[in-house]
Amino acid sequence: MEWESDERELKAAGAEVLPEGRRGLRIHGWEIESRKRSILTSLQLQQWEEELQTSHLPEMVFGDNSLVIKHVNTGTKIHFNAFDALVGWKREALPPVEVPAAEQWKFRSKPLQQVVLDYDYTFTTPYSGSETFDTNAERVRGLSNESSCSLQWEDCAEKIDLVALASKEPILFYDEIILYEDELADNGISLLTVKVRVMPSGWFLLLRFWLRVDGVLMRLRDTRLHCLFGDHMKSVILRESCWREATFQALSSKGYPSDCAAYSDPSTISERLPIIMQKTQKLSIEIPCKQ
């Protein structure tokens, strides 16, 4: 079901819907836009394979889906898309998760095909978003066209206040975008999604990679971003990354169920998975003072 904003709540918060059929809104100097399209065609998949130099891609790649969060006055853009996430998968190149020999036949695309799982068929990615500067905003660092960049994220001790985020507040905009998905030949699920929620107080985003290899392993990689509206001349974004992972055997030894059906929703079982990496960073965006 598509999200429908309340016009009175938008007006009270100083927000406006994006024009020309675009999905999203503008609020307090930010532009948040989501885009949903169908999965890539076979021709598009072939082009992606050539660009990524691989013969393996997830079953369903939503290559034209995206979420873009743009700071209008500086042109700073943080965006999320499947291609860049798969670039991260290709670079990390984790060893393949071993599956029981009795299950390997499911990975065949042809009846008599030999199965060689010599790549990370889970499509695990370290991706935490893409960064660019937009062309038509305030001249940032003298850049005249949109270009890729590395924003100046700084490690910090601050944390996103998830309790405050759970408080009752009007939701001005919400969307969930699937970037790619694979059912691992009926051996589980590999899923990359991004969700965004905009409230009168700020915006919150969750990029989640969720992996379950049935009977073998679960892996959860979350990236959360939060920005509070306030100072017109300066915005601060907090970004928390948390990676969790556990084998079914390890969970079973702690008394947790070994049945795969008990692990369909990562939100309900995430606390059972031990943390293997966690960090918090912040980004300060300041509007240049005019001379």
Side-chain angles (χ1 to χ4, degrees), residues 118-274:
D118 57 356
Y119 68 100
D120 178 21
Y121 63 87
T122 70
F123 302 102
T124 298
T125 178
Y127 184 62
S128 60
S130 307
E131 300 164 357
T132 58
F133 281 120
D134 204 340
T135 54
N136 299 320
E138 296 272 342
R139 308 315 139 219
V140 178
R141 300 182 192 173
L143 297 177
S144 57
N145 11 42
E146 182 171 297
S147 8
S148 296
C149 64
S150 293
L151 300 177
Q152 300 303 308
W153 295 92
E154 300 175 359
D155 292 339
C156 67
E158 299 165 66
K159 299 290 184 183
I160 295 175
D161 190 343
L162 296 178
V163 174
L165 280 170
S167 64
K168 289 190 175 182
E169 189 178 8
I171 298 177
L172 308 175
F173 178 70
Y174 172 85
D175 210 351
E176 178 177 7
I177 301 102
I178 299 175
L179 299 180
Y180 60 74
E181 182 176 0
D182 195 298
E183 294 184 349
L184 309 179
D186 293 330
N187 272 296
I189 186 71
S190 170
L191 178 65
L192 182 65
T193 62
V194 59
K195 300 179 184 179
V196 65
R197 174 162 47 109
V198 184
M199 299 78 64
S201 65
W203 56 260
F204 175 71
L205 177 151
L206 170 61
L207 174 72
R208 168 167 284 176
F209 173 79
W210 163 237
L211 171 71
R212 190 190 71 244
V213 183
D214 290 344
V216 182
L217 176 76
M218 282 179 287
R219 180 178 290 155
L220 186 64
R221 293 186 173 184
D222 283 347
T223 300
R224 292 176 170 85
L225 283 80
H226 183 220
C227 178
L228 285 170
F229 302 137
D231 189 341
H232 177 66
M233 299 300 293
K234 180 179 179 179
S235 293
V236 176
I237 302 172
L238 286 180
R239 179 172 71 182
E240 289 185 8
S241 299
C242 183
W243 295 4
R244 297 174 179 267
E245 187 170 314
T247 63
F248 273 76
Q249 184 178 5
L251 290 172
S252 179
S253 69
K254 294 179 180 179
Y256 293 123
S258 56
D259 182 9
C260 300
Y263 302 104
S264 59
D265 182 1
S267 297
T268 61
I269 57 94
S270 62
E271 295 301 320
R272 299 180 184 178
L273 307 180

